[in-house]
């Protein structure tokens, strides 16, 4: 009898220990190199979500733990780092990879391993096209693509009776993909594209470009700028051109580039955003305040979408009743988890969710949300 009791106690202890083993999720992002701050913002978003999930009891009676792989924004680093998550850490789902070339490189590997990949921050429409009917059943894209963003902005511009746009973007894959998407969305909506220009790297004299764009007399000037923001907006001020600027604009950088006396002239400046901490929704306000309190930083769109992606995979595990990859994949396909932004993460046939987008403008001299596009 004593021996049976000891054996039973040992079995119960083993079962309890197994029940307490963390459920693992993988996250691959940029944690080294010149853009490591971007990956850190993703890591912070995941940490905040996991803190809250585990404080609420975890999932399936177990805590949830993230295992990170630094991909350094290099496929040669990202592929083996992600493979380690699957083969050594045995994660049943991965969130990543922030860096577009790495995301492209790991997608086929994830599909071959039959482990779901939640693409929370890589924006490209090509990820959408490659998923579901595109052949990859294991890729799930949760952030809007440049096509979603362009169509949302065009819809809003139509409400402003805009009939034509000139498009200007920095060189590079991301700005150019957005410029192409905007030109196509505008044309599809019957909006004239009067010109489409690319800013060469290291450009310092923007006056000729502005003169060329001005000659086409567009109703709006659409911009997608990075390092050229300061020089471009200073040249815009000097040009005397009053056409309103829209696009994917860093409003704070644009306002900081011009003289204080010129800022009122940017009262019609607008931008489209997938997330903004300015959004006056209870869940977003709570997220922003909690993030600031924990990390002493303002959250970025990367922070937010990885925060919600963490909840999304945990919700899938809960609904599946399992932390096995196949069960998680099927649960992700049927998710209807609400987003704090509004709407849900219900995927379309290409495993792509469609959350609302936001039009930012100026109110009393400060950036503010002026419209929502579903």
């Amino acid at each position: 009898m004593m021996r049976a009791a000891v054996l039973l106690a040992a079995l119960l202890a083993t079962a309890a220990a197994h029940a307490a083993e963390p459920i693992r999720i993988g996250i691959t992002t940029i944690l080294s190199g010149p853009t490591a701050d971007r990956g850190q913002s993703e890591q912070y978003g995941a940490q905040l979500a996991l803190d809250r999930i585990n404080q609420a009891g975890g999932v399936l009676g177990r805590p949830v733990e993230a295992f990170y792989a630094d991909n350094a924004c290099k496929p040669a680093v990202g592929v083996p780092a992600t493979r380690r998550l699957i083969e050594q850490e045995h994660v049943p789902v991965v969130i990543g990879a922030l860096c577009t070339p790495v995301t492209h490189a790991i997608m086929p590997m994830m599909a071959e391993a039959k482990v779901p990949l939640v693409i929370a921050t890589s924006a490209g429409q090509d990820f959408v096209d490659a998923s579901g009917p595109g052949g990859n059943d294991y890729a799930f894209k949760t952030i809007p693509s440049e096509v979603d963003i362009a169509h949302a902005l065009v819809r809003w511009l139509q409400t402003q009776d805009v009939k034509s746009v000139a498009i200007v973007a920095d060189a590079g894959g991301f700005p150019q993909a957005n410029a192409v998407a905007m030109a196509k969305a505008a044309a599809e909506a019957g909006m004239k594209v009067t010109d489409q220009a690319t800013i060469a790297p290291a450009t310092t004299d923007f006056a000729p470009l502005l003169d060329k764009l001005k000659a086409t007399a567009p109703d709006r000037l659409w911009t997608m700028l990075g390092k050229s923001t300061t020089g471009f907006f200073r040249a815009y001020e000097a040009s005397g051109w009053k056409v309103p600027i829209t696009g994917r604009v860093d409003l704070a950088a644009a306002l900081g580039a011009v003289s204080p006396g010129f800022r009122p002239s940017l009262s019609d400046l607008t931008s489209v955003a997938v997330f903004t901490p300015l959004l006056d929704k209870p869940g977003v306000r709570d997220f922003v305040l909690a993030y600031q309190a924990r990390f002493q930083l303002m959250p970025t769109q990367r922070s937010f979408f990885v925060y919600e992606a963490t909840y999304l995979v945990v919700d899938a595990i809960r609904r599946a009743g399992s932390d096995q990859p196949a069960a998680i994949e099927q649960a992700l396909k049927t998710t209807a988890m609400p987003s704090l932004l509004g709407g849900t993460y219900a995927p379309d046939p290409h495993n792509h969710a469609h959350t609302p987008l936001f039009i930012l403008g100026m109110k009393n001299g400060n950036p503010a949300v002026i419209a929502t596009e579903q």
Side-chain angles (χ1 to χ4, degrees), residues 3-53:
R3 182 178 179 182
V6 170
L7 179 59
L8 178 60
L11 290 172
L12 290 174
T14 300
H18 176 73
E21 288 179 2
I23 285 178
R24 300 173 170 224
I25 64 172
I27 300 176
T28 176
T29 188
I30 308 168
L31 297 176
S32 63
T35 57
D37 60 313
R38 298 183 181 185
Q40 186 180 67
S41 70
E42 292 197 342
Q43 188 175 29
Y44 286 169
Q47 285 177 359
L48 181 59
L50 289 176
D51 286 348
R52 291 179 155 193
I53 289 165

Side-chain angles (χ1 to χ4, degrees), residues 43-127:
Q43 188 175 29
Y44 286 169
Q47 285 177 359
L48 181 59
L50 289 176
D51 286 348
R52 291 179 155 193
I53 289 165
N54 288 328
Q55 287 166 8
V59 64
L60 306 183
R62 297 158 62 185
V64 185
E65 184 177 354
F67 289 77
Y68 290 91
D70 175 17
N71 62 52
C73 199
K74 298 176 181 178
V77 176
V79 169
T82 307
R83 183 176 288 114
R84 176 182 59 78
L85 289 178
I86 297 170
E87 296 178 356
Q88 295 182 27
E89 304 298 350
H90 305 294
V91 300
V93 60
V94 173
I95 299 170
L98 175 56
C99 180
T100 294
V102 176
T103 307
H104 278 302
I106 68 173
M107 278 181 67
M109 180 185 71
M110 300 292 297
E112 183 178 358
K114 296 185 177 180
V115 173
L117 171 66
V118 177
I119 302 171
T121 54
S122 293
Q125 177 67 25
D126 47 355
F127 300 124

Side-chain angles (χ1 to χ4, degrees), residues 145-147 149-151 153-154 165-187 193 195-199 222-225 246-248 272:
S145 72
E146 74 271 11
V147 171
I149 292 165
H151 280 285
L153 181 57
V154 166
V165 293
I167 296 173
V168 59
D170 277 338
F174 183 70
Q176 289 302 305
N178 278 265
V180 169
M182 181 62 190
K184 184 176 180 181
V193 178
D195 198 1
Q196 190 168 347
T198 299
I199 299 174
W222 183 97
T223 65
M224 177 72 195
L225 309 175
T246 190
R248 301 196 68 179
V272 61

Side-chain angles (χ1 to χ4, degrees), residues 216-238:
T216 68
D219 294 338
R220 288 288 193 282
L221 177 58
W222 183 97
T223 65
M224 177 72 195
L225 309 175
K227 293 180 179 180
S228 63
T229 297
T230 297
F232 184 89
F233 273 88
R234 286 177 179 170
Y236 174 76
E237 176 180 358

Side-chain angles (χ1 to χ4, degrees), residues 138 163 172 228:
Y138 290 86
K163 305 296 185 185
S228 63

